């Protein structure tokens, strides 16, 4: 985390802070697995803050991409702290406030983060109970935490009162008592979606909805084809429009203006020439993919071939980002499944330190695996830093279909030999670009 505990408490106010952490050896192994592209997040952490008003705040590096994780994590905390879900707020995907998380993918939020939030919340409950026991000089076993209160031994105190004045953290006890499912009052029940009314009425803000006074709208000049390099640029006609700014850094060219309409109009006035290179077509896909592995050959007629085209993810909300640069620190609001991954992309693209880059992921209008990278975030940040202005970039649907990364295409060649009595004698399976699952045969060969 880029905030110290003192800084974090300054933001949150007094209270009890509980951190769910992992041993350094496991943390290091998880980091290495993450660098190798592991689909399963290995390092998870959840933070619980109990404010002096008794309100509970949950922190998680997971993000809300439409799967309703915000509600399920709210339920997990409410269950173990034995409070109403209305008293729980969840902060998600903020690289300055939440613990590191590899990303929201692989359907791992429920099996990994829900248990971790439960453990952290249960530990907070026990800490509050222990504090009451110390104050009242009574056995903790004689006290009960429920409904935002600790009662027993002739006394009662709210969570807020018990949290006031002190803040401390501690590791999660692996044996912390969790509420058995037979006693669940919130988990496993139908709970109204958090912020459902705001979403239905349109007042809930996604990245595409964010506004800042005086911000500029940015659009990027796209090359005529993949791999093309810029030869000449003439932005003079565009720069004559009121309030229009042009950013040119190598092959990256962008136009920024006070309105989206004016930015698009100005981009149409930019004159450019490009050097293009030959690229393969969809018809060439199988040959290109097979050629990427030395010694591979096209399948013989007796072999079975299975193919998958490159497929656009088409998220409901196109890529969008709002970048704010104050001269020393960059803050980017963007829809992403990997806030910490986007932070690293921004660090590398702009030559900044991690402490200078904050990524905040508002609830995002779907991703389908297509929002792992920070395409729009990097573009908005480059324009904002170059112009020293707040800049918003929203991709068009055409850009989504053309310039977003796609689900990988693939070719699978399989050949087998079967004996007259139905036994499988041989099996050869060549998988090009489709990932490892299914390569090992389940059959007795």
């Amino acid at each position: 985390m880029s905030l110290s505990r003192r800084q974090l408490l300054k933001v949150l106010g007094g209270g009890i802070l509980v951190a769910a952490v992992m041993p350094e050896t496991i943390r290091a192994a998880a980091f290495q697995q993450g660098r190798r592209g592991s689909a399963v997040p290995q390092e998870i952490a959840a933070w619980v803050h109990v404010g002096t008003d008794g309100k509970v705040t949950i922190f998680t590096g997971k993000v809300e991409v439409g799967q309703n994780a915000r509600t399920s994590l709210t339920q997990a905390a409410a269950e173990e702290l034995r409070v109403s879900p209305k008293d729980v707020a969840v902060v998600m995907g903020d690289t300055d406030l939440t613990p590191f998380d590899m990303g929201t993918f692989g359907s791992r939020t429920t099996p990994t983060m829900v248990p971790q939030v439960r453990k952290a919340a249960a530990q907070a409950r026990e800490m509050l109970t222990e504090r009451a026991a110390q104050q009242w000089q009574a056995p903790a076993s004689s006290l009960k935490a429920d409904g935002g209160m600790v009662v027993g031994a002739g006394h009662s105190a709210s969570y807020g009162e018990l949290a006031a004045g002190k803040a401390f953290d501690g590791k999660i006890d692996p044996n912390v008592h969790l509420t058995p499912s037979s006693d669940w009052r919130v988990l496993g029940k139908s709970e109204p979606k958090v912020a459902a009314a705001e979403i239905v009425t349109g007042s809930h803000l996604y990245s595409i909805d964010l506004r800042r006074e005086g911000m500029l709208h940015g659009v990027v000049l796209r090359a005529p084809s993949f791999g093309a390099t810029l030869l000449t640029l003439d932005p003079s006609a565009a720069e004559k429009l009121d309030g229009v700014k042009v950013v040119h850094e190598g092959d990256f060219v962008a136009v920024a203006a006070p309105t989206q309409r004016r930015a698009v109009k100005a981009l149409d006035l930019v004159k450019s020439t490009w050097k293009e290179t030959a690229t393969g077509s969809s018809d060439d896909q199988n040959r290109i993919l097979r050629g990427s592995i030395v010694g591979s050959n096209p399948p013989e007629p007796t072999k079975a071939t299975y193919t998958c085209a490159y497929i656009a993810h088409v998220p409901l909300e196109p890529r969008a980002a709002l970048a704010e640069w104050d001269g020393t620190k960059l803050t980017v609001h963007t829809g992403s499944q990997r806030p910490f991954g986007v932070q690293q992309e921004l660090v590398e693209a702009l030559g900044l330190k991690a402490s200078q880059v904050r990524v905040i992921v508002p609830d995002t209008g779907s991703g389908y695996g297509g929002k792992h990278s920070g395409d729009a975030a990097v573009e908005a940040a480059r324009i904002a830093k170059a112009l020293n202005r707040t800049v918003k970039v929203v991709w068009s649907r055409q850009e989504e279909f053309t310039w977003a990364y796609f689900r990988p295409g693939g070719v699978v060649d399989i050949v087998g030999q079967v004996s007259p009595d139905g036994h499988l004698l041989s099996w050869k399976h060549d998988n090009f670009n489709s990932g490892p699952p299914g390569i090992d045969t389940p059959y007795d060969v």
Side-chain angles (χ1 to χ4, degrees):
M1 293 183 65
S2 58
L3 287 184
S4 67
R5 184 174 67 173
R6 181 181 300 275
Q7 291 170 318
L8 180 61
L9 293 175
K10 185 177 180 180
V11 173
L12 296 172
I16 294 178
L17 185 66
V18 185
V21 298
M22 300 178 72
E24 285 304 315
T25 52
I26 300 178
R27 185 189 307 273
F31 177 72
Q32 290 301 325
Q33 284 191 314
R35 292 184 64 181
R36 290 195 297 268
S38 172
V40 180
Q42 298 296 317
E43 184 184 35
I44 58 175
W47 297 83
V48 179
H49 179 263
V50 180
T52 55
D53 59 357
K55 298 293 184 180
V56 176
T57 304
I58 300 296
F59 296 88
T60 174
K62 297 296 183 189
V63 297
E64 177 60 78
V65 199
Q67 78 278 36
N68 220 18
R70 185 180 297 279
T71 302
S72 62
L73 294 177
T74 296
Q75 288 181 276
E79 183 64 65
E80 296 303 338
L81 277 164
R82 295 165 189 167
V83 298
S84 168
K86 296 179 180 178
D87 293 323
V88 178
V90 180
V91 175
M92 307 181 76
D94 184 330
T95 60
D96 264 12
L97 296 180
T98 63
F100 171 81
D101 189 271
M102 290 181 189
T104 304
F105 45 70
S107 301
R108 302 306 302 164
T109 298
T110 296
T112 60
M113 191 54 65
V114 167
Q116 202 65 27
V117 167
R118 289 186 64 197
K119 291 177 182 178
Q123 189 73 65
R125 182 192 70 226
E126 292 195 359
M127 287 181 173
L128 291 165
T129 304
E130 286 291 342
R131 175 153 313 169
Q134 292 173 7
Q135 291 182 4
W136 303 336
Q137 297 184 348
S141 58
S142 67
L143 307 181
K144 182 179 180 181
D146 196 9
M149 303 284 293
V150 177
V151 298
H155 300 274
S156 67
S158 69
Y159 287 176
E161 291 170 329
L162 294 169
K166 287 186 179 181
F168 56 90
D169 54 20
K171 287 186 176 182
I172 296 295
D173 181 351
N175 298 315
V176 64
H177 175 70
L178 299 179
T179 305
S181 58
S182 58
D183 295 336
W184 282 356
R185 293 181 291 183
V186 181
L187 274 175
K189 311 296 182 182
S190 180
E191 181 68 24
K193 179 181 177 70
V194 174
E198 292 86 347
I199 292 172
V200 170
T201 59
S203 62
H204 192 72
L205 298 182
Y206 296 83
S207 300
I208 199 171
D209 302 314
L210 299 180
R211 299 284 188 275
R212 294 290 186 271
E213 185 176 353
M215 75 177 189
L216 298 178
H217 296 261
V219 291
V220 176
L221 178 67
R222 303 297 178 187
S225 62
F226 298 109
T229 55
L230 184 64
L231 293 177
T232 66
L233 181 72
D234 180 5
S236 57
E239 293 174 325
K240 291 178 181 179
L241 295 182
D242 186 33
V244 169
K245 307 288 184 182
V246 176
V247 174
H248 177 201
E249 298 174 352
D251 288 336
F252 178 77
V253 179
V255 172
T259 67
Q260 179 79 7
R261 184 185 295 272
R262 194 179 306 171
V264 172
K265 180 179 179 180
L267 187 67
D268 289 339
L269 297 176
V270 174
K271 298 178 181 179
S272 62
T273 61
W274 300 77
K275 178 182 178 181
E276 300 186 60
T277 58
T279 57
S281 68
S282 297
D283 294 335
D284 300 322
Q285 174 181 301
N286 295 4
R287 175 183 56 79
I288 293 172
L289 290 176
R290 287 198 186 96
S292 66
I293 298 181
V294 176
S296 64
N297 296 307
E300 298 173 1
T302 56
K303 293 182 179 179
T305 294
Y306 304 88
T307 62
C308 179
Y310 282 87
I311 302 172
H313 294 94
V314 199
L316 299 177
E317 177 192 22
R319 283 159 175 74
L322 186 144
E324 301 171 287
W325 170 253
D326 65 6
T328 57
K329 182 148 185 173
L330 174 70
T331 301
V332 178
H333 305 255
T334 188
S336 172
Q337 294 173 243
R338 296 176 59 245
F340 288 90
V342 173
Q343 180 192 39
Q344 186 59 34
E345 287 185 49
L346 291 165
V347 166
E348 295 172 358
L350 279 74
L352 299 172
K353 297 178 181 178
S355 59
Q356 292 179 278
V357 178
R358 179 183 186 182
V359 174
I360 301 172
V361 177
D363 289 2
T364 300
S366 74
Y368 311 129
K371 289 184 178 175
H372 286 184
S373 60
D375 317 70
V378 172
E379 291 170 352
R382 292 182 70 171
I383 303 169
K385 190 171 184 292
L387 300 178
N388 198 27
R389 295 283 298 274
T390 297
V391 174
K392 180 179 179 180
V393 169
V394 178
W395 279 29
S396 67
R397 188 59 66 186
Q398 181 180 0
E399 287 175 304
E400 278 287 336
F401 275 106
T402 309
W403 292 96
Y405 70 90
F406 289 177
R407 180 198 183 280
V411 182
V412 176
D413 296 330
I414 301 177
V415 61
Q417 184 179 6
V418 182
S419 66
D421 59 358
H423 288 87
L424 187 58
L425 299 178
S426 66
W427 175 271
K428 187 171 184 291
H429 185 141
D430 291 327
N431 181 321
F432 303 90
N433 207 47
S434 286
I439 291 180
D440 291 336
T441 173
Y443 307 110
D444 181 15
V445 181

